[in-house]
Amino acid sequence: MSALRGDPVPLPELLRELTAESGLTLVGEARELSAETGLALYRSAQEALTNVRKHAPGSAVQVRLEYRPSEVRLTVRNHGPAGPPTTGLSPGYGLTGLRERAELAGGTFEAGPSGDGWLVDVKMPG
């Protein structure tokens, strides 16, 4: 991935590929983000979608990337009904690592139950 060299990440394009099955809602005017910000948002979407497939297979997923004046916000939300988890529900380190990555880049990361599903909400300066 180009971010390893410090190049900006083509975030909307990468998210469209990642969300080919569920779709991506893009709000606002896309703009170039720092490699650190783009990579943090991409990895957050990647981990959130992996967790949905593992822990709530078959549930509906909404992915939204919103360009605001001073920040970029990514939300990944899944809704039931879902099949049984395909793995145990161990906490793992994926979400902890994503929180740390977001905070190191000056952003925030929240994840937890929301209604009939789960919500990942990442806000990054941008």
Side-chain angles (χ1 to χ4, degrees):
M1 181 174 290
S2 63
L4 296 176
R5 296 186 308 267
D7 297 333
V9 174
L11 188 60
E13 292 83 9
L14 289 174
L15 288 179
R16 281 189 188 99
E17 289 175 18
L18 192 62
T19 61
E21 293 178 18
S22 59
L24 171 67
T25 300
L26 184 60
V27 178
E29 185 71 30
R31 60 183 175 270
E32 190 172 287
L33 303 171
S34 72
E36 186 177 36
T37 294
L39 188 58
L41 291 166
Y42 176 73
R43 293 291 187 221
S44 296
Q46 198 174 37
E47 178 73 14
L49 292 169
T50 296
N51 285 344
V52 169
R53 285 191 297 272
K54 285 170 52 176
H55 301 296
S59 68
V61 180
Q62 296 171 320
V63 180
R64 178 182 172 104
L65 181 63
E66 185 176 351
Y67 287 87
R68 297 175 170 182
S70 62
E71 70 180 8
V72 180
R73 181 179 187 189
L74 171 75
T75 56
V76 180
R77 180 185 311 262
N78 73 293
H79 302 278
T86 58
T87 64
L89 295 175
S90 63
Y93 295 103
L95 296 178
T96 300
L98 294 175
R99 177 174 285 110
E100 291 170 356
R101 181 189 296 259
E103 290 172 355
L104 284 172
T108 63
F109 179 95
E110 296 179 23
S114 176
D116 64 343
W118 190 266
L119 173 68
V120 171
D121 188 1
V122 186
K123 296 175 190 162
M124 299 293 290

